[in-house]
PDB file of all heavy atoms in Angstrom:
ATOM      1  N   THR G 333      -7.630 -18.188  36.968  1.00 73.00           N
ATOM      2  CA  THR G 333      -8.038 -19.531  36.553  1.00 73.00           C
ATOM      3  C   THR G 333      -6.873 -20.496  36.395  1.00 73.00           C
ATOM      4  O   THR G 333      -7.075 -21.626  35.964  1.00 73.00           O
ATOM      5  CB  THR G 333      -8.803 -19.447  35.223  1.00 73.00           C
ATOM      6  OG1 THR G 333      -7.949 -18.875  34.216  1.00 73.00           O
ATOM      7  CG2 THR G 333     -10.055 -18.586  35.368  1.00 73.00           C
ATOM      8  N   VAL G 336      -7.086 -24.048  38.189  1.00 86.00           N
ATOM      9  CA  VAL G 336      -8.397 -24.304  38.788  1.00 86.00           C
ATOM     10  C   VAL G 336      -9.477 -24.533  37.733  1.00 86.00           C
ATOM     11  O   VAL G 336     -10.597 -24.925  38.072  1.00 86.00           O
ATOM     12  CB  VAL G 336      -8.819 -23.141  39.722  1.00 86.00           C
ATOM     13  CG1 VAL G 336      -7.849 -23.013  40.882  1.00 86.00           C
ATOM     14  CG2 VAL G 336      -8.916 -21.830  38.950  1.00 86.00           C
ATOM     15  N   ASN G 337      -9.160 -24.271  36.468  1.00 87.00           N
ATOM     16  CA  ASN G 337     -10.151 -24.404  35.401  1.00 87.00           C
ATOM     17  C   ASN G 337      -9.922 -25.715  34.649  1.00 87.00           C
ATOM     18  O   ASN G 337      -8.806 -26.007  34.210  1.00 87.00           O
ATOM     19  CB  ASN G 337     -10.053 -23.218  34.441  1.00 87.00           C
ATOM     20  CG  ASN G 337     -11.286 -23.070  33.582  1.00 87.00           C
ATOM     21  OD1 ASN G 337     -12.331 -23.659  33.864  1.00 87.00           O
ATOM     22  ND2 ASN G 337     -11.178 -22.272  32.527  1.00 87.00           N
ATOM     23  N   LEU G 338     -10.996 -26.524  34.520  1.00 90.00           N
ATOM     24  CA  LEU G 338     -10.910 -27.832  33.862  1.00 90.00           C
ATOM     25  C   LEU G 338     -11.696 -27.812  32.560  1.00 90.00           C
ATOM     26  O   LEU G 338     -12.757 -27.194  32.457  1.00 90.00           O
ATOM     27  CB  LEU G 338     -11.460 -28.933  34.777  1.00 90.00           C
ATOM     28  CG  LEU G 338     -10.731 -29.168  36.092  1.00 90.00           C
ATOM     29  CD1 LEU G 338     -11.383 -30.314  36.853  1.00 90.00           C
ATOM     30  CD2 LEU G 338      -9.258 -29.460  35.843  1.00 90.00           C
ATOM     31  N   ILE G 340     -13.710 -30.214  30.043  1.00 90.00           N
ATOM     32  CA  ILE G 340     -14.428 -31.490  30.010  1.00 90.00           C
ATOM     33  C   ILE G 340     -14.959 -31.724  28.607  1.00 90.00           C
ATOM     34  O   ILE G 340     -15.706 -30.893  28.078  1.00 90.00           O
ATOM     35  CB  ILE G 340     -15.578 -31.521  31.037  1.00 90.00           C
ATOM     36  CG1 ILE G 340     -15.026 -31.427  32.459  1.00 90.00           C
ATOM     37  CG2 ILE G 340     -16.376 -32.797  30.909  1.00 90.00           C
ATOM     38  CD1 ILE G 340     -14.908 -30.035  32.978  1.00 90.00           C
ATOM     39  N   ASP G 349     -25.771 -26.794  31.953  1.00 91.00           N
ATOM     40  CA  ASP G 349     -24.858 -26.216  32.942  1.00 91.00           C
ATOM     41  C   ASP G 349     -25.127 -26.751  34.351  1.00 91.00           C
ATOM     42  O   ASP G 349     -24.179 -27.063  35.086  1.00 91.00           O
ATOM     43  CB  ASP G 349     -24.984 -24.689  32.924  1.00 91.00           C
ATOM     44  CG  ASP G 349     -24.576 -24.097  31.583  1.00 91.00           C
ATOM     45  OD1 ASP G 349     -23.972 -24.828  30.782  1.00 91.00           O
ATOM     46  OD2 ASP G 349     -24.851 -22.901  31.351  1.00 91.00           O
ATOM     47  N   ASP G 350     -26.385 -26.852  34.732  1.00 91.00           N
ATOM     48  CA  ASP G 350     -26.708 -27.296  36.087  1.00 91.00           C
ATOM     49  C   ASP G 350     -26.292 -28.747  36.320  1.00 91.00           C
ATOM     50  O   ASP G 350     -25.759 -29.089  37.394  1.00 91.00           O
ATOM     51  CB  ASP G 350     -28.219 -27.141  36.335  1.00 91.00           C
ATOM     52  CG  ASP G 350     -28.655 -25.684  36.300  1.00 91.00           C
ATOM     53  OD1 ASP G 350     -27.786 -24.812  36.556  1.00 91.00           O
ATOM     54  OD2 ASP G 350     -29.835 -25.412  36.002  1.00 91.00           O
ATOM     55  N   LEU G 352     -23.932 -30.335  34.757  1.00 90.00           N
ATOM     56  CA  LEU G 352     -22.473 -30.388  34.789  1.00 90.00           C
ATOM     57  C   LEU G 352     -21.950 -29.931  36.152  1.00 90.00           C
ATOM     58  O   LEU G 352     -21.008 -30.530  36.699  1.00 90.00           O
ATOM     59  CB  LEU G 352     -21.893 -29.496  33.682  1.00 90.00           C
ATOM     60  CG  LEU G 352     -20.375 -29.455  33.542  1.00 90.00           C
ATOM     61  CD1 LEU G 352     -19.822 -30.825  33.177  1.00 90.00           C
ATOM     62  CD2 LEU G 352     -19.949 -28.415  32.494  1.00 90.00           C
ATOM     63  N   ARG G 353     -22.548 -28.905  36.710  1.00 90.00           N
ATOM     64  CA  ARG G 353     -22.143 -28.436  38.032  1.00 90.00           C
ATOM     65  C   ARG G 353     -22.408 -29.493  39.105  1.00 90.00           C
ATOM     66  O   ARG G 353     -21.554 -29.735  39.978  1.00 90.00           O
ATOM     67  CB  ARG G 353     -22.870 -27.141  38.357  1.00 90.00           C
ATOM     68  CG  ARG G 353     -22.583 -26.595  39.755  1.00 90.00           C
ATOM     69  CD  ARG G 353     -23.459 -25.395  40.049  1.00 90.00           C
ATOM     70  NE  ARG G 353     -23.077 -24.274  39.222  1.00 90.00           N
ATOM     71  CZ  ARG G 353     -22.193 -23.339  39.591  1.00 90.00           C
ATOM     72  NH1 ARG G 353     -21.591 -23.439  40.786  1.00 90.00           N
ATOM     73  NH2 ARG G 353     -21.898 -22.337  38.799  1.00 90.00           N
ATOM     74  N   PHE G 356     -19.803 -32.237  39.506  1.00 91.00           N
ATOM     75  CA  PHE G 356     -18.473 -31.926  40.034  1.00 91.00           C
ATOM     76  C   PHE G 356     -18.512 -31.193  41.372  1.00 91.00           C
ATOM     77  O   PHE G 356     -17.449 -30.933  41.939  1.00 91.00           O
ATOM     78  CB  PHE G 356     -17.702 -31.057  39.017  1.00 91.00           C
ATOM     79  CG  PHE G 356     -17.187 -31.799  37.828  1.00 91.00           C
ATOM     80  CD1 PHE G 356     -18.003 -32.016  36.728  1.00 91.00           C
ATOM     81  CD2 PHE G 356     -15.896 -32.297  37.799  1.00 91.00           C
ATOM     82  CE1 PHE G 356     -17.540 -32.699  35.613  1.00 91.00           C
ATOM     83  CE2 PHE G 356     -15.424 -32.990  36.700  1.00 91.00           C
ATOM     84  CZ  PHE G 356     -16.248 -33.198  35.594  1.00 91.00           C
ATOM     85  N   GLU G 357     -19.676 -30.856  41.894  1.00 89.00           N
ATOM     86  CA  GLU G 357     -19.732 -30.007  43.076  1.00 89.00           C
ATOM     87  C   GLU G 357     -19.257 -30.727  44.342  1.00 89.00           C
ATOM     88  O   GLU G 357     -18.924 -30.073  45.331  1.00 89.00           O
ATOM     89  CB  GLU G 357     -21.150 -29.488  43.274  1.00 89.00           C
ATOM     90  CG  GLU G 357     -22.194 -30.567  43.509  1.00 89.00           C
ATOM     91  CD  GLU G 357     -23.589 -29.978  43.591  1.00 89.00           C
ATOM     92  OE1 GLU G 357     -23.703 -28.736  43.465  1.00 89.00           O
ATOM     93  OE2 GLU G 357     -24.555 -30.757  43.764  1.00 89.00           O
ATOM     94  N   GLY G 360     -15.529 -29.665  45.593  1.00 90.00           N
ATOM     95  CA  GLY G 360     -15.168 -28.363  46.141  1.00 90.00           C
ATOM     96  C   GLY G 360     -16.108 -27.279  45.665  1.00 90.00           C
ATOM     97  O   GLY G 360     -17.161 -27.542  45.054  1.00 90.00           O
ATOM     98  N   VAL G 361     -15.703 -26.053  45.925  1.00 90.00           N
ATOM     99  CA  VAL G 361     -16.515 -24.883  45.563  1.00 90.00           C
ATOM    100  C   VAL G 361     -16.302 -24.564  44.084  1.00 90.00           C
ATOM    101  O   VAL G 361     -15.165 -24.322  43.646  1.00 90.00           O
ATOM    102  CB  VAL G 361     -16.149 -23.675  46.433  1.00 90.00           C
ATOM    103  CG1 VAL G 361     -16.981 -22.463  46.030  1.00 90.00           C
ATOM    104  CG2 VAL G 361     -16.352 -24.001  47.905  1.00 90.00           C
ATOM    105  N   ILE G 362     -17.378 -24.547  43.321  1.00 90.00           N
ATOM    106  CA  ILE G 362     -17.314 -24.273  41.883  1.00 90.00           C
ATOM    107  C   ILE G 362     -17.707 -22.817  41.644  1.00 90.00           C
ATOM    108  O   ILE G 362     -18.789 -22.378  42.046  1.00 90.00           O
ATOM    109  CB  ILE G 362     -18.247 -25.219  41.108  1.00 90.00           C
ATOM    110  CG1 ILE G 362     -17.775 -26.670  41.267  1.00 90.00           C
ATOM    111  CG2 ILE G 362     -18.285 -24.836  39.631  1.00 90.00           C
ATOM    112  CD1 ILE G 362     -18.678 -27.673  40.586  1.00 90.00           C
ATOM    113  N   THR G 363     -16.831 -22.069  41.008  1.00 88.00           N
ATOM    114  CA  THR G 363     -17.128 -20.673  40.707  1.00 88.00           C
ATOM    115  C   THR G 363     -17.900 -20.513  39.403  1.00 88.00           C
ATOM    116  O   THR G 363     -18.649 -19.555  39.236  1.00 88.00           O
ATOM    117  CB  THR G 363     -15.826 -19.861  40.619  1.00 88.00           C
ATOM    118  OG1 THR G 363     -14.977 -20.430  39.603  1.00 88.00           O
ATOM    119  CG2 THR G 363     -15.091 -19.901  41.954  1.00 88.00           C
ATOM    120  N   SER G 364     -17.716 -21.444  38.476  1.00 89.00           N
ATOM    121  CA  SER G 364     -18.471 -21.387  37.217  1.00 89.00           C
ATOM    122  C   SER G 364     -18.466 -22.755  36.567  1.00 89.00           C
ATOM    123  O   SER G 364     -17.491 -23.520  36.691  1.00 89.00           O
ATOM    124  CB  SER G 364     -17.880 -20.352  36.252  1.00 89.00           C
ATOM    125  OG  SER G 364     -16.588 -20.731  35.832  1.00 89.00           O
ATOM    126  N   ALA G 365     -19.563 -23.077  35.879  1.00 91.00           N
ATOM    127  CA  ALA G 365     -19.691 -24.325  35.111  1.00 91.00           C
ATOM    128  C   ALA G 365     -20.514 -24.010  33.874  1.00 91.00           C
ATOM    129  O   ALA G 365     -21.629 -23.498  33.981  1.00 91.00           O
ATOM    130  CB  ALA G 365     -20.349 -25.421  35.933  1.00 91.00           C
ATOM    131  N   LYS G 366     -19.945 -24.299  32.712  1.00 91.00           N
ATOM    132  CA  LYS G 366     -20.616 -23.898  31.481  1.00 91.00           C
ATOM    133  C   LYS G 366     -20.410 -24.945  30.401  1.00 91.00           C
ATOM    134  O   LYS G 366     -19.291 -25.428  30.192  1.00 91.00           O
ATOM    135  CB  LYS G 366     -20.090 -22.540  30.986  1.00 91.00           C
ATOM    136  CG  LYS G 366     -20.810 -21.996  29.772  1.00 91.00           C
ATOM    137  CD  LYS G 366     -20.306 -20.624  29.407  1.00 91.00           C
ATOM    138  CE  LYS G 366     -21.062 -20.079  28.196  1.00 91.00           C
ATOM    139  NZ  LYS G 366     -22.511 -19.952  28.444  1.00 91.00           N
ATOM    140  N   VAL G 367     -21.507 -25.280  29.701  1.00 92.00           N
ATOM    141  CA  VAL G 367     -21.471 -26.151  28.527  1.00 92.00           C
ATOM    142  C   VAL G 367     -21.505 -25.266  27.290  1.00 92.00           C
ATOM    143  O   VAL G 367     -22.408 -24.428  27.136  1.00 92.00           O
ATOM    144  CB  VAL G 367     -22.659 -27.133  28.523  1.00 92.00           C
ATOM    145  CG1 VAL G 367     -22.666 -27.961  27.244  1.00 92.00           C
ATOM    146  CG2 VAL G 367     -22.604 -28.038  29.738  1.00 92.00           C
ATOM    147  N   GLY G 379     -17.248 -28.534  27.701  1.00 92.00           N
ATOM    148  CA  GLY G 379     -17.523 -27.437  28.609  1.00 92.00           C
ATOM    149  C   GLY G 379     -16.368 -27.196  29.555  1.00 92.00           C
ATOM    150  O   GLY G 379     -15.287 -27.819  29.430  1.00 92.00           O
ATOM    151  N   PHE G 380     -16.594 -26.298  30.530  1.00 92.00           N
ATOM    152  CA  PHE G 380     -15.553 -25.922  31.482  1.00 92.00           C
ATOM    153  C   PHE G 380     -16.151 -25.873  32.881  1.00 92.00           C
ATOM    154  O   PHE G 380     -17.291 -25.442  33.079  1.00 92.00           O
ATOM    155  CB  PHE G 380     -14.954 -24.554  31.132  1.00 92.00           C
ATOM    156  CG  PHE G 380     -14.300 -24.500  29.783  1.00 92.00           C
ATOM    157  CD1 PHE G 380     -15.025 -24.140  28.649  1.00 92.00           C
ATOM    158  CD2 PHE G 380     -12.963 -24.829  29.636  1.00 92.00           C
ATOM    159  CE1 PHE G 380     -14.426 -24.085  27.408  1.00 92.00           C
ATOM    160  CE2 PHE G 380     -12.363 -24.789  28.394  1.00 92.00           C
ATOM    161  CZ  PHE G 380     -13.097 -24.417  27.276  1.00 92.00           C
ATOM    162  N   VAL G 381     -15.353 -26.315  33.851  1.00 91.00           N
ATOM    163  CA  VAL G 381     -15.709 -26.232  35.257  1.00 91.00           C
ATOM    164  C   VAL G 381     -14.541 -25.586  35.987  1.00 91.00           C
ATOM    165  O   VAL G 381     -13.401 -26.075  35.910  1.00 91.00           O
ATOM    166  CB  VAL G 381     -16.011 -27.619  35.865  1.00 91.00           C
ATOM    167  CG1 VAL G 381     -16.291 -27.494  37.368  1.00 91.00           C
ATOM    168  CG2 VAL G 381     -17.182 -28.268  35.156  1.00 91.00           C
ATOM    169  N   CYS G 382     -14.816 -24.487  36.681  1.00 90.00           N
ATOM    170  CA  CYS G 382     -13.773 -23.736  37.373  1.00 90.00           C
ATOM    171  C   CYS G 382     -13.989 -23.845  38.878  1.00 90.00           C
ATOM    172  O   CYS G 382     -15.075 -23.522  39.384  1.00 90.00           O
ATOM    173  CB  CYS G 382     -13.780 -22.273  36.931  1.00 90.00           C
ATOM    174  SG  CYS G 382     -12.401 -21.300  37.570  1.00 90.00           S
ATOM    175  N   PHE G 383     -12.945 -24.287  39.596  1.00 90.00           N
ATOM    176  CA  PHE G 383     -12.992 -24.423  41.044  1.00 90.00           C
ATOM    177  C   PHE G 383     -12.331 -23.206  41.706  1.00 90.00           C
ATOM    178  O   PHE G 383     -11.657 -22.393  41.050  1.00 90.00           O
ATOM    179  CB  PHE G 383     -12.285 -25.712  41.481  1.00 90.00           C
ATOM    180  CG  PHE G 383     -13.040 -26.958  41.136  1.00 90.00           C
ATOM    181  CD1 PHE G 383     -12.874 -27.584  39.906  1.00 90.00           C
ATOM    182  CD2 PHE G 383     -13.937 -27.514  42.042  1.00 90.00           C
ATOM    183  CE1 PHE G 383     -13.573 -28.728  39.580  1.00 90.00           C
ATOM    184  CE2 PHE G 383     -14.646 -28.659  41.733  1.00 90.00           C
ATOM    185  CZ  PHE G 383     -14.465 -29.266  40.494  1.00 90.00           C
ATOM    186  N   SER G 384     -12.499 -23.128  43.001  1.00 87.00           N
ATOM    187  CA  SER G 384     -11.914 -22.018  43.748  1.00 87.00           C
ATOM    188  C   SER G 384     -10.483 -22.303  44.170  1.00 87.00           C
ATOM    189  O   SER G 384      -9.708 -21.365  44.387  1.00 87.00           O
ATOM    190  CB  SER G 384     -12.762 -21.705  44.989  1.00 87.00           C
ATOM    191  OG  SER G 384     -12.827 -22.844  45.844  1.00 87.00           O
TER     192      SER G 384
END
Side-chain angles (χ1 to χ4, degrees):
T333 60
V336 297
N337 197 15
L338 297 182
I340 296 91
D349 297 347
D350 295 335
L352 181 63
R353 177 186 291 268
F356 285 85
E357 62 184 0
V361 179
I362 296 177
T363 58
S364 66
K366 185 176 181 61
V367 176
F380 299 90
V381 176
C382 187
F383 289 88
S384 60

